[in-house]
Amino acid sequence: MATVEKMPMLQEGYEKLSSELKRLKAERPQIVDAIEEARAHGDLSENAEYHAAKEQQGQNEATIADIEDKLSRAQIIDPTELSGDKIVFGATVTLLDDDDKPVRYQIVGQTEANAKTGRISYNSPLGRALIGRKVDDEVEVTVPSGDRYYVVSKIDFV
């Protein structure tokens, strides 16, 4: 029997996906209306509006199916309920780079990741390198710009 892989995410990420799903489902009637209007224009073989509306419908339905799949496999994790001395999903980590400059990241799910806001996916190269590490551990990670070295200086669960 196949097992379904859980998808860890924060409550915020779950809510964001849920609202996106509602928005996409609300678009369905407008897309159907656009298809009906284009169909009324006659010959479908050379009707660009019809083909564009059908393409939009296909993309919308595929996105809905993808989000429904993610939500069905969601494992919501509350970082404030976590503790320990190792980096795990949901932890906020302060690292010191080569120049002893602190950088701070929270380990989050794939759908919530945004490096500009300090949120990295647990599946990213740095995220994978950090999971299981402790304070004062040295971390080497290979990224597109080359090898980077960090020292874990602090682990928070906020």
Side-chain angles (χ1 to χ4, degrees):
M1 187 170 114
T3 59
V4 177
E5 183 183 337
K6 289 288 186 189
M7 179 171 266
M9 63 180 66
L10 303 176
Q11 181 67 36
E12 177 186 329
Y14 185 87
E15 289 169 3
K16 186 175 176 184
L17 278 178
S18 295
S19 67
E20 176 69 4
L21 181 62
K22 285 179 188 167
R23 185 189 67 75
L24 290 170
K25 285 185 173 184
E27 283 183 12
R28 281 175 164 165
Q30 289 103 346
I31 295 171
V32 170
D33 289 346
I35 291 171
E36 291 300 320
E37 184 179 324
R39 188 178 281 154
H41 292 171
D43 184 14
L44 298 181
S45 65
E46 295 182 16
N47 188 331
E49 289 175 11
Y50 174 79
H51 293 290
K54 288 296 280 183
E55 176 75 20
Q56 182 184 7
Q57 182 182 40
Q59 289 175 343
N60 195 50
E61 293 303 318
T63 305
I64 286 172
D66 182 52
I67 292 174
E68 286 176 337
D69 173 59
K70 288 175 181 171
L71 291 175
S72 72
R73 295 184 296 125
Q75 177 182 6
I76 299 170
I77 296 175
D78 182 356
T80 60
E81 295 178 2
L82 303 174
S83 63
D85 61 348
K86 289 186 177 181
I87 299 172
V88 295
F89 181 93
T92 299
V93 185
T94 304
L95 306 171
L96 298 177
D97 66 10
D98 293 337
D99 303 322
D100 284 336
K101 179 181 158 202
V103 289
R104 189 171 158 105
Y105 295 111
Q106 183 177 24
I107 311 295
V108 297
Q110 296 164 304
T111 59
E112 305 161 290
N114 182 346
K116 291 178 183 165
T117 61
R119 300 178 125 195
I120 58 170
S121 169
Y122 67 97
N123 274 344
S124 68
L126 181 56
R128 284 195 309 264
L130 290 173
I131 297 289
R133 301 299 181 124
K134 297 180 178 184
V135 172
D136 294 330
D137 279 0
E138 293 182 10
V139 179
E140 176 184 352
V141 63
T142 302
V143 293
S145 60
D147 291 344
R148 303 284 302 222
Y149 300 92
Y150 299 99
V151 174
V152 178
S153 71
K154 188 176 179 186
I155 302 171
D156 293 311
F157 298 100
V158 291

